[in-house]
Amino acid sequence: VEDPPMAEEEEPLFSNLDLFLFSLIVGLVIYWFMSRKKPEPIPEFKKLDTPAPTTRETSFIEKMKKTNIIVFYGSQTGTAEEFANRLSKDAQRYGMKGMAADPEEYDMGEMARLSEIENSLAIFCMATYGEGDPTDNAQDMYDWLQENDDEDLSGLNYTVFALGNKTYEHYNAMGKYVDKRLEELGAKRIFDLGLGDDDGNLEEDFISWREQFWPAVCEHFGVEALGDDSSIRQYELKEHTDINMNKVYSGEIGRLKSFEVQKPPFDSKNPFLAPVTLNRKLNKGGDRHLMHLELDITGSKIRYESGDHVAVFPTNDSALVNKLGQILGVDLDVVISLNNLDEESNKKHPFPCPTTYRTALTHYLDITHPPRTNVLYELAQYASDPKDQENMRKMASSSPEGKALYQSWVLEASRNILAILEDMPSLKPPVDHLCELLPRLQARYYSIASSSKVHPNSIHICAVVVEYQTKTGRTNKGVATNWLKNKLVTDNGHKSTVPMYIRKSQFRLPFKATNPVIMVGPGTGIAPFMGFIQERGWLKEQGKEVGETVMYFGCRHKNEDYIYQEELEEAEKNQVLTQLNVAFSRDQEQKVYVQHILKKNKENIWKLIHSENAHIYVCGDARNMAKDVQTALYEIAEELGSMTRTQATDYIKKLMTKGRYSQDVWS
């Protein structure tokens, strides 16, 4: 090939056949190279096919050209989103149009432009998470409100409904902040801040607020209700008869087939299927089942810190799903889509579609919580007995007898949708309308019981299985804990997997290892402290100087539910735990709880807190334990710090603001 072409020679060096064969070989070589390379760029082209998510419409003003009410929601467990959907649907009853909006998807800088829309109103349904924090999806909005002091929101009409829980330290902090901050920026509050308390009856708080809110809106805009339309469908049913089953969702949360082809990064829209490598019962006796699970995150690129939460996506019990199918007389394996009647809406379907009723009721819909009043109200029309219709509508009203009936018949009796259908034989709703109304099944959060320094590829969960008798004699089972309990390491030769992702937390060991830590965690509240203890042990092994590590744990009986006893005693023997204090509440006449031993060790506690810069951590039940521990600390500060109760309270509260007193609590 190097030689110059020999044009002057009479006789060609290569015959035509040679040239043909040569070209053929070269062609084959090139083809072989090309075809070998080919598989690589294919995914690139595929990616370009689907519209890139960055082209998504981030202007809510553009979306609102046909709408005048926008309902933003800050939601962690789905309730605020549910309330936002209900309010946007309500708008139709007043001749207005509403849209529910996830603030994470829109540009909050447009808030001032709402004045361009005639009769516009922004409603904010804001839940508070953890220690007074915004929910994940409202973090950007919160940052925007904090950072923009020069915004002029004088053209914005707004109202806020806050969702919180009175047993927590920072009750409804997020809702209160948004309400106050919008006013500071010049916006006009057209109705008072509503405060929902999930420790009491959140549904009732919402109904009472909403009952007064809409008349105020009507007065403000000079409109009136169009008469009460009993049911406004948001979605229409489409049955698929000849669909390729590869196009049908089978439980994935986001992308179709995401459980078959796993791609990082993993998050709430794209969970990782973690294999279960260990599932053991922790307690030696008693009538409860406390369990320890280990999830394998090898190769997932998932990182976590001690104190973070793991979120898992459970599935409903198939026996419940089958019973629902029977009572509604429906073939659960029909493939359907529920399509939004409002084509402008960002929310095309209530859950991933197309899918089957079975998948929807198993993976996507919450069928075990007592249904909220709007569900009863909309289903009432399908009861053939007028008395049943009347009762269902009454329960959804704000009348005192209606509220009392809902409280006793639904909430106190813990009736889920199946129990309601069983106890009201005249009620026969179409399954598609029921699927439209039921809320989404939510991820469940657990404090991680391991340290990534010791277990970089494993996440440990510690939980108690929920199971109880209801007033109607039924046995109700917690969705996630019973599902986890049945996650055997290998099930019929297959690995059991759990769809999960990590939620970062503020619950962190002190930056300086020399700071002492005081950990208070009875029952499964011990979970994050198992991670803390592992981490402090690891630091010691690295030759670091580690401060005192003090544990206050509580359980019922030493020989029944003293969980992680071997690990704790081993840590104490190795001086990783410098003090291990355990309260066995029921092993003697008088009940003894963690706060009692705290008080008994008051001198040591006060020395660590007041003189040695100790960090305090409390994990577990918010309603009683966390409050009692706080009170015990007030009393110690009062007595040993020679303070008044007010000074002692301020002293402990200051520790909280400085990040030296952290709580990871639930109710």
Side-chain angles (χ1 to χ4, degrees):
V1 184
E2 318 272 290
D3 296 342
M6 310 191 82
E8 56 281 339
E9 290 220 12
E10 316 288 295
E11 236 179 279
L13 187 63
F14 299 113
S15 73
N16 284 348
L17 183 64
D18 291 336
L19 281 170
F20 172 73
L21 287 171
F22 180 72
S23 315
L24 188 66
I25 290 162
V26 170
L28 284 168
V29 168
I30 290 169
Y31 177 76
W32 181 73
F33 266 106
M34 293 292 282
S35 63
R36 206 184 52 160
K37 279 273 196 266
K38 223 177 206 160
E40 284 175 15
I42 284 177
E44 297 306 311
F45 295 131
K46 276 238 175 86
K47 266 188 204 148
L48 296 174
D49 266 4
T50 54
T54 43
T55 60
R56 188 183 63 207
E57 180 64 82
T58 58
S59 163
F60 59 82
I61 297 295
E62 290 312 311
K63 277 264 181 215
M64 283 180 74
K65 292 298 186 209
K66 297 182 187 153
T67 308
N68 57 329
I69 293 180
I70 185 162
V71 195
F72 289 108
Y73 56 84
S75 191
Q76 197 69 35
T77 60
T79 313
E81 182 178 356
E82 224 179 294
F83 286 1
N85 282 324
R86 284 162 71 174
L87 289 167
S88 71
K89 210 168 169 183
D90 279 345
Q92 291 186 46
R93 305 185 199 282
Y94 299 93
M96 295 183 268
K97 196 154 182 256
M99 66 178 266
D102 181 343
E104 200 172 30
E105 293 183 1
Y106 292 106
D107 172 14
M108 287 295 120
E110 292 198 325
M111 215 74 99
R113 287 185 60 199
L114 272 166
S115 54
E116 295 173 18
I117 308 241
E118 205 180 334
N119 281 353
S120 70
L121 166 65
I123 308 172
F124 296 83
C125 288
M126 307 309 293
T128 299
Y129 188 83
E131 299 292 280
D133 303 318
T135 56
D136 291 354
N137 77 315
Q139 185 66 54
D140 293 349
M141 179 175 129
Y142 176 74
D143 295 343
W144 183 84
L145 285 170
Q146 274 197 312
E147 290 156 14
N148 289 286
D149 281 332
D150 47 358
E151 277 293 327
D152 173 16
L153 298 184
S154 52
L156 170 67
N157 297 310
Y158 79 94
T159 187
V160 179
F161 183 80
L163 297 85
N165 188 312
K166 265 215 175 75
T167 57
Y168 291 18
E169 187 64 33
H170 304 275
Y171 175 55
N172 268 325
M174 185 60 184
K176 290 172 181 170
Y177 173 75
V178 171
D179 183 60
K180 179 172 129 291
R181 186 64 177 144
L182 289 172
E183 185 178 49
E184 285 170 4
L185 296 174
K188 182 178 181 187
R189 180 189 298 108
I190 69 157
F191 190 67
D192 297 339
L193 166 70
L195 295 175
D197 176 20
D198 204 20
D199 186 45
N201 184 339
L202 188 57
E203 178 71 11
E204 194 173 298
D205 296 337
F206 177 65
I207 288 176
S208 306
W209 177 83
R210 174 174 161 249
E211 197 82 359
Q212 296 169 296
F213 163 69
W214 282 113
V217 172
C218 291
E219 197 175 323
H220 185 271
F221 292 129
V223 296
E224 51 187 72
L226 302 173
D228 211 357
D229 187 351
S230 69
S231 173
I232 300 170
R233 287 295 300 261
Q234 214 174 331
Y235 299 95
E236 65 178 348
L237 171 68
K238 177 172 175 21
E239 289 192 4
H240 303 279
T241 43
D242 54 350
I243 191 165
N244 175 351
M245 288 312 278
N246 281 327
K247 300 243 172 13
V248 177
Y249 282 87
S250 57
E252 309 92 321
I253 306 301
R255 183 173 50 84
L256 186 67
K257 301 283 174 234
S258 62
F259 285 167
E260 286 170 34
V261 183
Q262 292 254 282
K263 289 181 190 159
F266 297 104
D267 54 28
S268 59
K269 308 257 190 327
N270 179 36
F272 175 66
L273 287 181
V276 177
T277 53
L278 183 69
N279 183 353
R280 68 182 174 99
K281 185 177 177 181
L282 285 169
N283 50 321
K284 301 180 188 78
D287 50 6
R288 297 182 305 162
H289 182 106
L290 289 103
M291 57 185 171
H292 171 92
L293 272 97
E294 298 187 3
L295 307 179
D296 184 4
I297 54 167
T298 308
S300 65
K301 296 194 168 75
I302 289 173
R303 303 266 174 276
Y304 74 96
E305 295 289 327
S306 308
D308 282 344
H309 295 155
V310 57
V312 304
F313 289 94
T315 57
N316 289 313
D317 183 352
S318 56
L320 281 183
V321 174
N322 287 334
K323 268 192 188 162
L324 265 174
Q326 278 165 4
I327 206 161
L328 294 169
V330 64
D331 174 1
L332 292 176
D333 297 307
V334 172
V335 179
I336 56 126
S337 288
L338 286 178
N339 300 325
N340 203 322
L341 290 161
D342 174 6
E343 282 160 16
E344 300 288 306
S345 174
N346 265 16
K347 200 171 180 198
K348 300 292 175 226
H349 317 282
F351 42 78
C353 290
T355 190
T356 64
Y357 286 124
R358 185 183 305 284
T359 301
L361 293 166
T362 306
H363 293 273
Y364 300 138
L365 296 171
D366 184 341
I367 60 174
T368 58
H369 269 112
R372 298 197 184 277
T373 56
N374 63 308
V375 178
L376 302 179
Y377 185 83
E378 296 224 11
L379 292 182
Q381 59 181 316
Y382 303 116
S384 52
D385 180 340
K387 192 87 192 95
D388 286 346
Q389 272 203 32
E390 188 196 337
N391 279 335
M392 287 177 80
R393 292 215 170 96
K394 192 192 282 177
M395 285 192 274
S397 75
S398 56
S399 72
E401 60 268 33
K403 285 177 175 176
L405 183 61
Y406 178 72
Q407 180 69 33
S408 64
W409 199 76
V410 178
L411 296 182
E412 285 165 17
S414 303
R415 275 188 174 89
N416 57 29
I417 189 65
L418 179 62
I420 287 171
L421 290 167
E422 285 174 340
D423 295 347
M424 255 191 199
S426 98
L427 179 61
K428 290 272 183 266
V431 65
D432 62 298
H433 199 176
L434 183 66
C435 287
E436 171 178 322
L437 293 170
L438 288 175
R440 280 292 292 267
L441 183 58
Q442 298 293 330
R444 306 298 202 263
Y445 299 93
Y446 296 96
S447 306
I448 297 176
S450 52
S451 160
S452 58
K453 302 281 189 288
V454 182
H455 299 284
N457 289 320
S458 181
I459 283 174
H460 300 182
I461 294 175
C462 163
V464 57
V465 175
V466 176
E467 190 169 317
Y468 58 95
Q469 287 290 114
T470 72
K471 285 183 174 173
T472 63
R474 293 175 168 94
T475 300
N476 275 9
K477 294 179 173 190
V479 176
T481 54
N482 281 278
W483 169 77
L484 284 171
K485 178 188 170 187
N486 294 319
K487 286 280 171 188
L488 308 172
V489 176
T490 50
D491 204 358
N492 284 333
H494 294 290
K495 277 184 180 170
S496 281
T497 56
V498 167
M500 51 71 70
Y501 68 96
I502 299 295
R503 187 183 197 280
K504 293 277 166 231
S505 143
Q506 305 295 318
F507 205 69
R508 287 279 182 268
L509 276 170
F511 184 66
K512 281 161 69 178
T514 49
N515 283 103
V517 301
I518 300 165
M519 306 173 286
V520 185
T524 55
I526 196 172
F529 302 135
M530 294 311 293
F532 281 11
I533 292 164
Q534 287 172 15
E535 188 137 331
R536 300 279 272 192
W538 180 84
L539 288 164
K540 267 185 110 109
E541 278 173 19
Q542 302 295 304
K544 296 262 186 351
E545 191 192 332
V546 178
E548 282 207 52
T549 307
V550 180
M551 178 81 220
Y552 285 86
F553 174 64
C555 59
R556 294 177 184 179
H557 300 284
K558 183 172 184 174
N559 58 0
E560 273 186 15
D561 55 355
Y562 184 176
I563 59 177
Y564 298 116
Q565 181 179 355
E566 293 76 17
E567 289 92 326
L568 292 172
E569 287 172 356
E570 177 76 7
E572 188 184 30
K573 198 178 85 193
N574 297 337
Q575 277 297 294
V576 171
L577 268 183
T578 39
Q579 271 184 56
L580 173 59
N581 308 286
V582 190
F584 303 107
S585 61
R586 302 181 188 184
D587 274 350
Q588 60 288 306
E589 267 306 286
Q590 242 42 58
K591 285 198 173 164
V592 177
Y593 294 118
V594 279
Q595 63 271 20
H596 299 136
I597 335 181
L598 276 172
K599 291 286 295 289
K600 217 166 82 185
N601 295 347
K602 59 191 175 191
E603 280 84 7
N604 178 252
I605 290 281
W606 184 246
K607 176 174 75 74
L608 289 172
I609 294 173
H610 195 62
S611 313
E612 299 183 18
N613 214 17
H615 285 233
I616 307 157
Y617 300 90
V618 179
C619 180
D621 159 57
R623 188 172 284 119
N624 305 306
M625 183 275 302
K627 280 206 174 107
D628 295 340
V629 166
Q630 212 164 313
T631 306
L633 291 169
Y634 293 158
E635 288 166 5
I636 292 171
E638 239 178 307
E639 188 187 335
L640 298 175
S642 313
M643 303 179 187
T644 64
R645 175 47 76 99
T646 314
Q647 288 171 319
T649 308
D650 285 348
Y651 181 88
I652 299 296
K653 292 272 161 85
K654 203 161 262 146
L655 291 179
M656 290 181 171
T657 51
K658 283 184 183 159
R660 275 183 54 202
Y661 187 143
S662 307
Q663 302 190 81
D664 179 0
V665 291
W666 53 84
S667 73

